[in-house]
Amino acid sequence: MNLQNKVTLFFGVLSLGLVAALVVIGLWSFRQYSVATASEHIRTAAEIVRVHLTESMINGVISKRQNFLERLKEVEGLQSARVIRGSLVQQQFGKGFNEEQPADSIEMQVLADGKQHFDIIDANGPVIIRGTIPFVAHRGGNPNCLQCHQVAEGSVLGAVTITMSIEHLKRKAIYTVLLMVAAVTLFAFATFFLLRRFLRPIVDTAVHVEKAVHRAIGGEFKASIEVLTRDEIGRIANDVNRLLAFLDQGLTRISRNVALLTEHTPAPNGNQLQDTIDMVDALTQASQFKQAIEEDETKAEVYCRLASAVEGRFGVKEYSMYELVLNRNQIKPMVVDGEADAGCKWCDPLIQVRSESCRVRRTGHLVDGLSTPDICYAFKPPAEAPGRHHICFPIMSSGGVGSVLQLVVDEDNIERVKALTPYINVYLQEAAPVLEAKRLTETLRESNLRDPMTGLHNRRFLEESVDSLVANTQRRGGHLGVMMLDLDYFKMVNDTYGHDAGDAVLKALAKVLAGAVRSSDMVIRYGGEEFMIILQNTDGDGAIPVAEKIRTAVEELKVQVAGGVLQKTISIGIADFPKDSDTFWQAIKFADVALYRAKEDGRNRVVRFTPELWDAQNAY
């Protein structure tokens, strides 16, 4: 039941209740008024009878009292009047006429106690008020009762019984109540009509808002609500239209941007809101996934976490993860169906020694065996697993394929996995730089490319990894934040406290630097007390807060040495590759120039490279 029907029903019930109450109260009030009026008329008539009887006795015409009583009936509404003699009057003057004897117990009771008595007679006829009024002897007036009656004052001399019809008052009351009911009904109808007229815009607007909300829940935000009035209801309709337009534009923009990140275009007739929520959820989960794998220690842990995502997030239980062996024509299974370091199950084992047999390795593109079965001849599922299809994703590293994720799908799950493909790509894009960093880290461990004292990468590591680092950055269209760092007045430490103290300071500084950046970033001891930090996917401006964090940490660092406790400061120069220079080594030089400016400006500060700092005559 809508609002208008509810209001109509409520108002109708209220009007009926009001009319019923008006009828009941009106009739009851008129009845009470009629009874009170008739009773007062009876008292007045009884007083007239008393005065007449007194005058008649004085004037000696008491014998004609019945004629007066008959004439009294001519009064409108008065039906009968009868005088009753009391026992004291009968003793003095006799019984009188037969009509003057007590007729019932009521008259006898009135003669006995001297109290008025009224009855309402309503028995299948006109409504009659009967009143029996006692005549009590008293000295008041001239003449008075005691002049003729030999009784004590206060004695009951007799009574008069008068009956009066109130039927004419009843008819007037009913007519008046009907007029009141008609007036109230007319007023109710007028009010009801005006109320419906006022409620119509509210109800129509509410219905339109409800429909628009239901469409919005379904992902359609292009609904428009008609503005029916210029009051608050109209303003609500306008505001809802503005809100829907704002949501439509905002969701369209968010959906478009998220689609660029996920490389997934939502269906044109789909639920835009739900599609956007799903894509944002996927990006959030992918971000959390990246944060988790960045904190993993080895690439094996990263592969295991990626396998957990494939099974838990995407619901795929049959899959393989392969890694290409650098500088060899080999490919190695890392995880197969959740088992680490398992044998090759879903492909021809030949690909392990001849990686060109893998179509993904050879082309560097997605190989979709779900849409195009038999596209890759190396896919050979075992005989006990018929009806399987595959889709293989390249995981890029240093400008080429570094790893491969292969999902194996049965007929029932093909469409589901196709729909998940954009989200799987997001996870792999997040995993790619981390895997590359872990792989490079492990390679460097094997090549002894670390500074033996601080445990940081050394300059040789930078020289060997710079090509892949630059290629990967250029391929992704990203930035590298290059920081050159130098301890202030470090030579004084060696001169004052000895080289052992200097080594302790360098080791403590290395821990601060390594702890201040991500695992995918590179911390390098460039030489002596000079260090370099390369922040991946971070531009020059984004490197400033990291540099300030490091500067503050170094300033607060206390190093215990044989001669006491040392506190040092550090100066930092920042450059951006490729924004400041499209040559990586030139970017390093620019960071070095910014470092020396920090030294010249008083040390213990961070300086971002600007073109004004560079003297074109001193080309690197």
Side-chain angles (χ1 to χ4, degrees), residues 508-556:
L509 174 63
K511 291 181 180 180
V512 170
L513 299 181
V517 298
R518 302 165 296 184
S519 60
S520 58
D521 301 326
M522 298 180 182
V523 182
I524 300 168
R525 185 182 181 190
Y526 204 63
E529 68 271 22
E530 193 173 27
F531 295 82
M532 175 189 294
I533 295 178
I534 301 175
L535 302 176
Q536 296 200 54
N537 300 320
T538 305
D539 59 15
D541 294 334
I544 293 176
V546 179
E548 284 291 348
K549 175 183 174 183
I550 292 173
R551 187 195 63 77
T552 302
V554 172
E555 188 177 25
E556 296 173 352

Side-chain angles (χ1 to χ4, degrees), residues 179-249:
L179 286 178
M180 293 172 61
V181 169
V184 170
T185 302
L186 182 62
F187 176 77
F189 273 111
T191 304
F192 176 72
F193 174 77
L194 292 175
L195 187 62
R196 284 183 64 89
R197 184 181 182 88
F198 289 139
L199 282 177
R200 172 60 64 182
I202 299 175
V203 174
D204 290 345
T205 301
V207 171
H208 294 159
V209 170
E210 181 183 16
K211 291 180 179 179
V213 169
H214 282 299
R215 292 175 63 182
I217 293 174
E220 173 58 59
F221 293 90
K222 298 186 182 300
S224 179
I225 299 172
E226 183 181 359
V227 180
L228 301 175
T229 63
R230 296 183 180 181
D231 54 12
E232 293 86 348
I233 303 302
R235 288 196 291 272
I236 289 174
N238 270 324
D239 290 342
V240 172
N241 287 336
R242 290 171 55 199
L243 175 62
L244 291 174
F246 176 75
L247 290 175
D248 181 55
Q249 296 172 3

Side-chain angles (χ1 to χ4, degrees), residues 4-77:
Q4 187 167 0
N5 290 337
K6 287 181 180 179
V7 172
T8 301
L9 179 61
F10 172 76
F11 189 78
V13 172
L14 183 63
S15 299
L16 290 176
L18 179 62
V19 170
L22 181 63
V23 170
V24 172
I25 294 173
L27 291 176
W28 182 83
S29 299
F30 278 114
R31 179 183 174 88
Q32 293 299 104
Y33 171 75
S34 299
V35 171
T37 301
S39 299
E40 193 61 36
H41 287 172
I42 289 173
R43 291 188 187 94
T44 302
E47 183 63 19
I48 294 172
V49 171
R50 186 189 68 79
V51 172
H52 174 75
L53 291 177
T54 301
E55 292 293 333
S56 296
M57 290 185 69
I58 295 297
N59 297 323
V61 293
I62 191 65
S63 60
K64 297 181 180 181
R65 58 185 180 276
Q66 287 298 117
N67 293 335
F68 172 74
L69 295 176
E70 290 297 327
R71 292 286 305 272
L72 196 62
K73 296 179 183 179
E74 296 178 6
V75 176
E76 182 182 5

Side-chain angles (χ1 to χ4, degrees), residues 282-296 301-310 313-314 321 423-424 426-432 434-435:
L283 289 176
T284 302
Q285 293 171 359
S287 176
Q288 294 170 347
F289 168 77
K290 181 180 181 182
Q291 183 178 1
I293 61 177
E294 283 180 341
E295 296 173 355
D296 288 334
E301 293 178 356
V302 176
Y303 281 116
C304 288
R305 198 175 298 277
L306 181 59
S308 297
V310 169
R313 169 69 176 85
F314 303 113
M321 293 184 190
Y423 306 114
I424 296 173
V426 172
Y427 272 72
L428 298 182
Q429 289 171 6
E430 299 293 350
V434 179
L435 279 173

Side-chain angles (χ1 to χ4, degrees), residues 30 33-35 37-39 41 75-79 125-129 163-176:
F30 278 114
Y33 171 75
S34 299
V35 171
T37 301
S39 299
H41 287 172
V75 176
E76 182 182 5
L78 197 149
Q79 291 191 337
V127 180
I128 305 250
I129 304 297
T163 59
M164 179 174 286
S165 173
I166 60 172
E167 191 66 25
H168 63 290
L169 296 176
K170 178 181 176 181
R171 288 194 298 271
K172 290 181 179 179
I174 292 174
Y175 177 72
T176 302

